[in-house]
Amino acid sequence: MSNARTLALTGLKAVLLEGRSLSAVQPALMQQCPAADRPLLHNLLLGVLRWKASLHALLMPLLKKPLKAKDQDLVLLLYLGLYQLHYMDAVPAHAAVNETVRLLPQKKRWARGLINAVLRNFARTDRATRQQWLGCCASACYSHPQWLIDRLQQDWPEQWQAILNANNANPPLTLRINPLKTDRDSYMALPEIQALAPQPHPLSDQAIVLKSAVDVRRLPGFDAGWFSVQDVAAQQAALILQPRPGERILDACAAPGGKTTHLQELAQNQAHIIALEKDGARINRLQENLHRLGLHAQVRQGDASTPDQWWDGEPFDHILLDAPCSATGIIRRHPDIKWHRTPEDIAALTTTQRAIVQALWPLLKPGGTLLYATCSVLAAENQQQMATFLESTADAQQLPIERLPPCGAPGSQILPGQQQMDGFYYCHVRKRP
Ligand SMILES: C[S@@+](CC[C@H](N)C(=O)[O-])C[C@H]1O[C@@H](n2cnc3c(N)ncnc32)[C@H](O)[C@@H]1O
């Protein structure tokens, strides 16, 4: 077992210096942390990643000269100290300084004086000075890369600031009750759940919103498959498709199976679902989730853009394409996304999305429907992508999504924070008979 701050620094190095994703490194770090310190570790990791550009703006005026490339680990150490001093009221300043200095590795003891001085000087600055430093530019103020702020401003001229603020807020934890095992009212009435102040959500009869994170494996019925963890925005996919028993459904990008399992819950476990996934490592989690929830699907490994390699020639009543995307709608849950993505990634993703939707369209029965979904808020991956598809596909007809507000272009966009949800885009298309 290691100390939460030591583990946080290890995690920050893996994410920010080695380019790994937070979701890949966080579970192992949590395992190594004493249970009582896990909330602190979670807060430090998410907090520093969320506020990285703001922490940078607070650090720069305190350094006489920037640290060398080989000392970027010290920059992370300073971010960790500054985060505690500026954003964590519960940590006394002396503890934030001393605990941070203690994290210095033996071979960097030479920096002890520097770390001490920077953090102590910062602790003495007043709020007005800090606000002035943070006001230097939009990137420091909103803690997002400038290119992403520019894109959001262009795509959402009225809402870009609300999106940036929502990306920096703590998300709720949302459960989706498995109606084949229990029901929402009974589950919410359990004393362990009552203690967490559960709220039903108006956009899904299965959703229970909890204000803050808990270890879901310790909630009643986890092993027995009474619920899944899924944001209400993601729950809209199956609710829009309304699958029925006996239908043939393709879930084209399926792992870890959040939407596959929801589709099957709504179809009373009697739909014929093919859950396709390209990444072999992610297929295990898909299988585990199906097993835990007691649901059936035929799991296949394959690339959705090359159906010749996995399709048996039987057309589908519905296709769900939860496309690989920038994930810019779920930055509040995965703040590392904003530092890892580049404008070049967005261009490459739009090409992949186009290839997949075009390859899957012929697999749909006449009269069948395809639901295109992303957890992105960028028009290039969403409205523009589907406008191009609809224009170039003679037998494609857009269906209205009555449960969500339209966005003035093809499909419906949920923006992060709206009704407590993640950012998600849906476009429902029917193949003319
Ligand atoms: C947004 S995630 C899907 C989440 C999933 N639908 C859920 O609700 O749990 C996208 C998934 O698509 C997979 N993927 C990416 N490109 C693919 C492709 N060409 N064919 C099939 N799967 C792909 C990724 O490995 C990833 O698991």
Side-chain angles (χ1 to χ4, degrees), residues 126-359:
D126 55 28
R127 286 267 149 188
T129 305
R130 296 179 189 181
Q131 284 315 321
Q132 196 189 332
W133 293 346
L134 289 173
C136 68
C137 59
S139 179
C141 176
Y142 292 107
S143 195
H144 277 64
Q146 191 59 47
W147 74 267
L148 185 52
I149 297 176
D150 294 343
R151 291 288 284 252
L152 291 172
Q153 219 165 345
Q154 180 191 312
D155 290 353
W156 300 100
E158 307 283 315
Q159 299 93 337
W160 65 277
Q161 286 156 308
I163 296 172
L164 294 169
N165 287 330
N167 288 351
N168 287 333
N170 272 322
L173 173 71
T174 308
L175 308 181
R176 186 191 81 222
I177 293 302
N178 180 354
L180 306 183
K181 302 257 182 179
T182 181
D183 63 85
R184 179 165 73 179
D185 288 348
S186 317
Y187 195 73
M188 276 178 55
L190 295 174
E192 299 93 319
I193 303 300
Q194 276 296 305
L196 301 170
Q199 292 290 326
H201 195 285
L203 284 179
S204 166
D205 290 346
Q206 290 171 258
I208 298 180
V209 181
L210 305 176
K211 265 225 171 67
S212 44
V214 290
D215 181 354
V216 291
R217 285 162 306 175
R218 299 171 82 155
L219 294 180
F222 177 79
D223 290 328
W226 290 4
F227 67 87
S228 302
V229 174
Q230 191 182 45
D231 191 82
V232 177
Q235 295 188 31
Q236 301 308 307
L239 293 168
I240 293 167
L241 274 175
Q242 288 293 328
R244 285 188 303 233
E247 286 183 329
R248 242 180 96 76
I249 301 171
L250 172 68
D251 185 355
C253 294
K259 301 187 188 68
T260 315
T261 52
H262 195 195
L263 287 166
Q264 199 55 300
E265 285 169 4
L266 295 186
Q268 281 124 53
N269 208 10
Q270 290 171 36
H272 181 67
I273 299 184
I274 293 184
L276 184 78
E277 169 60 44
K278 185 167 148 187
D279 183 344
R282 288 170 65 84
I283 281 191
N284 289 343
R285 282 199 47 217
L286 169 59
Q287 301 270 27
E288 272 167 29
N289 281 328
L290 284 163
H291 180 74
R292 184 177 66 82
L293 295 161
L295 298 165
H296 307 299
Q298 228 184 80
V299 177
R300 285 191 201 158
Q301 188 172 359
D303 184 330
S305 65
T306 53
D308 292 354
Q309 294 173 4
W310 48 264
W311 186 43
D312 59 10
E314 279 275 312
F316 294 99
D317 295 291
H318 299 293
I319 296 177
L320 170 60
L321 170 52
D322 191 12
C325 72
S326 62
T328 41
I330 52 172
I331 286 174
R332 60 185 193 156
R333 297 189 188 278
H334 305 276
D336 54 322
I337 285 170
K338 58 188 173 182
W339 311 120
H340 287 332
R341 291 288 174 275
T342 64
E344 293 74 35
D345 292 341
I346 309 302
L349 282 162
T350 56
T351 306
T352 305
Q353 292 154 357
R354 191 172 323 129
I356 299 180
V357 71
Q358 281 172 353

